[in-house]
Amino acid sequence: MVLAAGGGRRLGGRPKALLRHRGRPLIEHAVRSLRNGGCGPLHVVLGASADEVRARTDLRGCAVSVNPAWEEGMGSSLRLGLAALSAADADAALVLLVDQPGIGAEAVARVRLAYRSRTSLAAASYDGERGHPVLFGSDRWRDIAAAAVGDRGARTYLREHRDAITLVECGDVAEAYDIDTEADLGRLE
């Protein structure tokens, strides 16, 4: 699942999904990372500028949900995406954020391989620090959704269940930076 609903408030209202990296919009980069990392079905959660993102990007092969409450923060998008995956009877969700172009298919594949059961909880780590992508076994979704409020997403749940998380070192194959501000745009190629 790609979370791509934010409005890019700190980027002057430019949707992050449409920022270009290596000749493609960030949303296409994230979808390709999931697909090439062995994930499927693919689900994208859009919000701000959803119509523009759909019109200007190639999201073929993806189920797309539009979060009407995107301004509430990442938590509402995570809840919407998990609900959509519940309807698809998925065993786990591997979640990638659209604004982290330094995370590619190799990191996705490593975290995906940490799946053991519907109770799995795994995350990429970078020099021992938890980051993205994260994997949530479906038995955990209800509690994750209940804790996903505001812009924290699953942060609270993950902190409360840190002992259950399988950390998967990805620092040798990915960079966990975010594109949040104008200064960060220099990281895009």
Side-chain angles (χ1 to χ4, degrees), residues 58-182:
D58 180 2
L59 297 178
R60 282 180 287 184
C62 297
V64 177
S65 295
V66 177
N67 180 3
W70 63 268
E71 289 180 283
E72 292 177 12
M74 188 188 316
S76 64
S77 294
L78 180 58
R79 290 191 309 271
L80 182 69
L82 291 176
L85 288 175
S86 290
D89 196 31
D91 292 325
L94 194 142
V95 180
L96 186 61
L97 305 179
V98 75
D99 67 349
Q100 293 188 318
I103 299 173
E106 290 180 83
V108 167
R110 284 186 185 180
V111 174
R112 186 181 64 78
L113 289 173
Y115 175 81
R116 297 291 177 262
S117 73
R118 287 178 171 244
T119 62
S120 290
L121 191 59
S125 67
Y126 301 89
D127 295 324
E129 295 293 318
R130 181 180 49 79
H132 284 88
V134 294
L135 182 140
F136 307 125
S138 60
D139 286 356
R140 295 183 178 273
W141 294 354
R142 183 180 320 183
D143 292 339
I144 290 169
V149 294
D151 210 27
R152 293 185 305 238
R155 189 175 306 142
T156 300
Y157 182 89
L158 292 169
R159 188 174 51 250
E160 291 171 354
H161 295 86
R162 72 169 96 6
D163 292 341
I165 300 171
T166 299
L167 291 178
V168 181
E169 183 56 45
C170 292
D172 60 322
V173 296
E175 295 180 85
Y177 60 87
D178 296 347
I179 304 298
D180 286 332
T181 66
E182 293 285 335

Side-chain angles (χ1 to χ4, degrees), residues 31-39 94 104-106 108-110 112:
V31 165
R32 186 175 59 243
S33 294
L34 288 177
R35 184 175 287 124
N36 292 345
C39 295
L94 194 142
E106 290 180 83
V108 167
R110 284 186 185 180
R112 186 181 64 78

Side-chain angles (χ1 to χ4, degrees), residues 23-34:
R24 305 191 74 92
L26 284 182
I27 188 73
E28 290 179 15
H29 175 76
V31 165
R32 186 175 59 243
S33 294
L34 288 177

